[in-house]
Amino acid sequence: MAASNTDAQWNAMTKIVNDFFKRSDCVPFREPVDWKGLGLYDYPQIIKRPMDLGTIKKNLKAKKYSNVADVAHDVRLIWSNCMTYNANGSDFYELANVLNLKFEEKYKKLLTDFMIEDKPSDNVDTSGSVTMEEKKAFAKLLYKLSKEDVGKIIVDVDTRCPSALTKNMSETEAELNVDKIPVGIFRELMAFAVNASKTSTSTKKVSKKKQ
């Protein structure tokens, strides 16, 4: 492990991972997905970088992570993989969403307690993450949305992955960090933004016709 984190910080991060591993609702995430045994033959095509809690525990024990942010990146990958592969509204999707919220709460407390940044190392593997093209498209869509729709996105992010949102002191403005939004949640936000932008554009056209 790199010297960027203290033993106390590593111990705190390891405890978070171990606590999740012990949870009964995390049983499906303790080992790699047995896609062959389950007959999920499209899994490797959809999920480019599989991840599970057991693998993270082994990596922590072998000191393969450069900092705690790299560990958090892999934990988030578990939830985002699940939410990417499973349909929105399915039991597995909802379970991953709930676990993601619980993890973000505990991880945010760790960052606050030790006053450290959530910044993965340069060598972290981000395969399977949101592409730069998707990030740019999402940013452009935000400019097309109404203040109400942007507000809905901000509230959703603040609730489901608060570490992806940086607020100013007065909390009147917020900066969105797409890199910290799990892929599954990002896809959902993108779909909302696309639909909202269409509605906004349609409303503007109707308004112009009335004029």
Side-chain angles (χ1 to χ4, degrees):
M1 294 175 184
S4 56
N5 290 116
T6 65
D7 287 342
Q9 291 163 2
W10 281 114
N11 290 337
M13 190 71 222
T14 300
K15 184 179 185 306
I16 291 176
V17 173
N18 287 337
D19 286 347
F20 271 87
F21 188 89
K22 294 175 183 176
R23 292 175 62 101
S24 59
D25 52 1
C26 279
V27 171
F29 307 104
R30 289 178 182 172
E31 298 178 352
V33 173
D34 180 18
W35 57 269
K36 288 183 179 179
L38 295 171
L40 308 175
Y41 297 108
D42 60 343
Y43 192 82
Q45 282 70 50
I46 297 173
I47 303 302
K48 301 303 181 184
R49 184 171 178 249
M51 186 52 60
D52 62 276
L53 291 168
T55 296
I56 293 176
K57 286 187 64 176
K58 291 177 182 177
N59 289 343
L60 276 166
K61 188 174 182 179
K63 300 183 178 181
K64 290 185 177 181
Y65 292 112
S66 297
N67 56 40
V68 295
D70 287 0
V71 184
H73 177 275
D74 273 1
V75 174
R76 288 168 174 149
L77 188 59
I78 296 173
W79 320 136
S80 63
N81 282 348
C82 182
M83 295 171 74
T84 296
Y85 186 78
N86 294 282
N88 186 353
S90 66
D91 290 342
F92 276 114
Y93 183 100
E94 294 302 326
L95 175 59
N97 187 29
V98 170
L99 291 172
N100 172 65
L101 286 172
K102 293 183 181 297
F103 170 74
E104 292 299 336
E105 288 177 4
K106 293 181 178 296
Y107 182 54
K108 185 176 183 180
K109 185 177 186 303
L110 182 153
L111 296 177
T112 302
D113 290 347
F114 290 105
M115 294 183 290
I116 54 178
E117 290 184 305
D118 179 27
K119 188 177 181 181
S121 61
D122 293 334
N123 63 347
V124 68
D125 184 356
T126 57
S127 60
S129 299
V130 178
T131 66
M132 184 57 67
E133 289 72 21
E134 289 175 312
K135 294 176 186 178
K136 290 179 179 179
F138 184 64
K140 289 181 179 179
L141 283 173
L142 291 180
Y143 283 107
K144 297 180 181 180
L145 302 183
S146 65
K147 291 182 179 180
E148 290 76 12
D149 286 331
V150 172
K152 290 178 182 178
I153 290 176
I154 295 300
V155 170
D156 196 22
V157 172
D158 192 29
T159 301
R160 302 169 71 183
C161 43
S163 64
L165 203 63
T166 302
K167 301 176 182 178
N168 62 12
M169 294 298 290
S170 62
E171 295 195 356
T172 56
E173 295 181 0
E175 181 179 338
L176 196 62
N177 189 336
V178 177
D179 294 328
K180 295 181 182 180
I181 301 177
V183 178
I185 294 178
F186 175 83
R187 304 281 184 238
E188 192 175 327
L189 294 175
M190 175 67 92
F192 171 82
V194 169
N195 291 329
S197 66
K198 290 179 180 178
T199 302
S200 178
T201 301
S202 176
T203 301
K204 288 179 181 177
K205 287 182 179 179
V206 172
S207 179
K208 286 182 179 180
K209 287 181 179 180
K210 287 183 178 181
Q211 292 175 355

